[in-house]
Amino acid sequence: MNVKNYVIKQAKLVNGKRIDILVENGIIKEVAPHIESNYEILDFQDDYVSAGWIDIHTHCFDKFEIYGDKPDLIGYPHGVCTVVDAGTAGSDTIDELYQQAQKAKTRVFSLLNISCTGICAQNELSDLSRLDKNAIIKAYQKYPDFIVGLKARMSKSVLGDSGNQPLVFAKEMQKQVHLPLMVHIGTAPSLLEDVVNMLDAKDMITHIFNPKDNGILKNHQIKDCVYQAKKKGILLDLGHGSDSFSFEVASKAFEQGIEVNTISSDIYFRNRLNGPVYSLVTTMNKMLYVGYSLDKVINCVTHNAAKALNLLNLGDIEVGKIADFTVFKVVDQDVKLVDSMKHEVISHQQIIPTHTIVKNEIYTIGEEE
Ligand SMILES: [Zn+2]
């Protein structure tokens, strides 16, 4: 259903406050305890309302068989207003991703792979001739509002014998295009220590709770370089994925004061259908289980996610921002959750999205369009 001008009455926020939100032409025009208006009233009663959820690490481009999906299979039907394709496309394929994105009901952005091919195969950074400076600049000039950052996958199976060279390239590129950079970590090389040394404030490391030797723990303790990363202002992203989320690592990190800035799924069709990812909200529920507060979990997929990628019109319920909202319940109901190590837990509380409002359309979750 199309909704352009409306008031959300007595929206319940995660901080417990209730507010009226007036939306005109898809933009938040007023936020106040009580608003008088002739516009249509939306009343979500006891469900929570937050800014629209943003998943900053997905694979929502279905050109390549290896990792891919469609934005509208991972987005609005699951309460996710915005999905960011994290490097499935490079400069060779950005036109196609852009065309697909224009047709989606879910909002889509791209973190452009620094390899011109994108993830056409697992080893997109094993051939250094795929690092094409001019092609990246051209792509960004063509799609300045769509390409919101760069993506470099710095792990053994991706790099082959390239060493840290692709990350040197990514940092050089970043100086030219002034975009956020997301770096994926996994099995070394690259060493986590090297990645931390090469990154600066506001750069992002994704797959932070992966269970590999090159992850954040050594003998169950947080490695020094992770504290250094925090000190430098490097942002930590969850990036669940098929192999990169361990309850044990996330819980140990939480106990030792290391929390993520952003919660993302690294979803694509296989881990959506067969697990362990299933959806962004499943990943959010895992962090509730680990001990994050509801407020923190929602902040990670709204304010923090928008801020990390300079999506300044999204991520908060504030005057002037785009009126994307996610409506959800929090129920005391047992749910079985599984991590990438096939470790199962039973959580007693879960977030369940009920409505998605994005691009001036309201969707009731669970109802066929
Ligand atoms: Zn990924």
Side-chain angles (χ1 to χ4, degrees):
M1 189 178 72
N2 190 265
V3 280
K4 258 194 174 150
N5 302 316
Y6 56 94
V7 176
I8 302 179
K9 266 286 168 201
Q10 294 301 288
K12 184 165 82 169
L13 307 180
V14 282
N15 62 14
K17 280 190 189 147
R18 286 199 180 258
I19 49 159
D20 287 357
I21 306 163
L22 186 140
V23 172
E24 216 171 69
N25 293 322
I27 303 292
I28 299 172
K29 279 281 146 74
E30 196 181 344
V31 179
H34 293 282
I35 297 173
E36 293 299 327
S37 159
N38 295 326
Y39 287 158
E40 181 184 355
I41 301 282
L42 300 181
D43 181 357
F44 298 112
Q45 304 197 349
D46 275 330
D47 291 356
Y48 288 96
V49 177
S50 72
W53 296 349
I54 302 166
D55 191 343
I56 71 165
H57 184 165
T58 76
H59 295 279
C60 60
F61 180 44
D62 62 358
K63 185 177 175 67
F64 306 121
E65 158 69 10
I66 177 166
Y67 299 117
D69 215 330
K70 293 191 189 320
D72 289 340
L73 292 177
I74 62 180
Y76 79 90
H78 305 277
V80 181
C81 295
T82 299
V83 294
V84 180
D85 182 72
T88 327
S91 53
D92 289 352
T93 41
I94 191 68
D95 290 328
E96 275 175 83
L97 174 64
Y98 182 78
Q99 293 308 329
Q100 282 191 12
Q102 296 319 295
K103 293 181 203 136
K105 295 171 179 172
T106 308
R107 228 175 268 286
V108 182
F109 295 102
S110 160
L111 290 171
L112 188 73
N113 199 312
I114 58 164
S115 166
C116 61
T117 60
I119 311 176
C120 59
Q122 186 61 259
N123 61 349
E124 80 268 14
L125 291 176
S126 62
D127 175 356
L128 294 173
S129 73
R130 293 175 182 173
L131 301 174
D132 185 338
K133 219 175 242 184
N134 292 330
I136 292 174
I137 292 172
K138 236 170 105 185
Y140 181 50
Q141 283 170 344
K142 195 167 176 187
Y143 302 112
D145 299 323
F146 180 62
I147 295 173
V148 295
L150 300 175
K151 175 80 185 283
R153 302 202 310 146
M154 298 302 293
S155 61
K156 192 179 172 185
S157 58
V158 182
L159 292 165
D161 297 325
S162 296
N164 290 333
Q165 199 49 39
L167 190 50
V168 173
F169 172 84
K171 289 301 294 178
E172 277 172 14
M173 258 345 287
Q174 201 188 16
K175 280 186 204 127
Q176 310 226 7
V177 291
H178 305 288
L179 283 171
L181 170 65
M182 178 186 276
V183 176
H184 134 143
I185 56 165
T187 300
S190 295
L191 278 171
L192 179 58
E193 285 80 354
D194 289 349
V195 171
V196 169
N197 282 333
M198 292 168 77
L199 295 187
D200 299 297
K202 295 184 180 171
D203 290 337
M204 288 164 273
I205 300 179
T206 188
H207 303 315
I208 203 73
F209 296 144
N210 79 68
K212 295 159 190 161
D213 287 345
N214 191 39
I216 60 172
L217 295 180
K218 190 173 185 187
N219 302 324
H220 307 290
Q221 296 300 310
I222 294 288
K223 292 177 182 171
D224 286 344
C225 67
V226 180
Y227 293 112
Q228 277 163 29
K230 274 281 177 193
K231 210 169 151 191
K232 280 174 90 168
I234 294 170
L235 302 175
L236 308 182
D237 177 56
L238 194 145
H240 189 309
S242 304
D243 303 316
S244 301
F245 179 78
S246 152
F247 276 120
E248 196 193 342
V249 177
S251 300
K252 289 258 155 60
F254 183 62
E255 285 163 19
Q256 293 171 51
I258 293 296
E259 298 182 16
V260 286
N261 300 91
T262 47
I263 295 175
S264 66
S265 66
D266 190 20
I267 197 167
Y268 76 110
F269 76 97
R270 259 186 288 266
N271 67 28
R272 168 170 59 81
L273 295 171
N274 308 326
V277 174
Y278 300 108
S279 64
L280 177 66
V281 73
T282 308
T283 307
M284 292 158 64
N285 282 329
K286 289 173 189 177
M287 296 318 293
L288 269 188
Y289 173 83
V290 164
Y292 284 29
S293 67
L294 178 65
D295 199 12
K296 166 86 188 178
V297 167
I298 298 301
N299 214 37
C300 285
V301 297
T302 55
H303 177 85
N304 288 2
K307 208 171 151 194
L309 298 181
N310 298 323
L311 300 171
L312 302 177
N313 293 327
L314 299 174
D316 291 288
I317 300 177
E318 275 175 20
V319 173
K321 302 242 175 181
I322 290 173
D324 283 0
F325 302 102
T326 303
V327 184
F328 58 98
K329 296 177 189 307
V330 180
V331 296
D332 292 328
Q333 189 178 299
D334 284 3
V335 57
K336 190 167 82 178
L337 299 169
V338 57
D339 70 6
S340 301
M341 313 292 286
K342 297 195 166 61
H343 179 74
E344 284 180 11
V345 302
I346 302 291
S347 181
H348 303 302
Q349 197 181 43
Q350 50 174 320
I351 303 168
I352 301 175
T354 60
H355 300 82
T356 312
I357 303 178
V358 58
K359 293 188 176 178
N360 300 330
E361 293 285 334
I362 177 163
Y363 303 97
T364 302
I365 293 173
E367 269 180 17
E368 288 299 317
E369 275 304 303

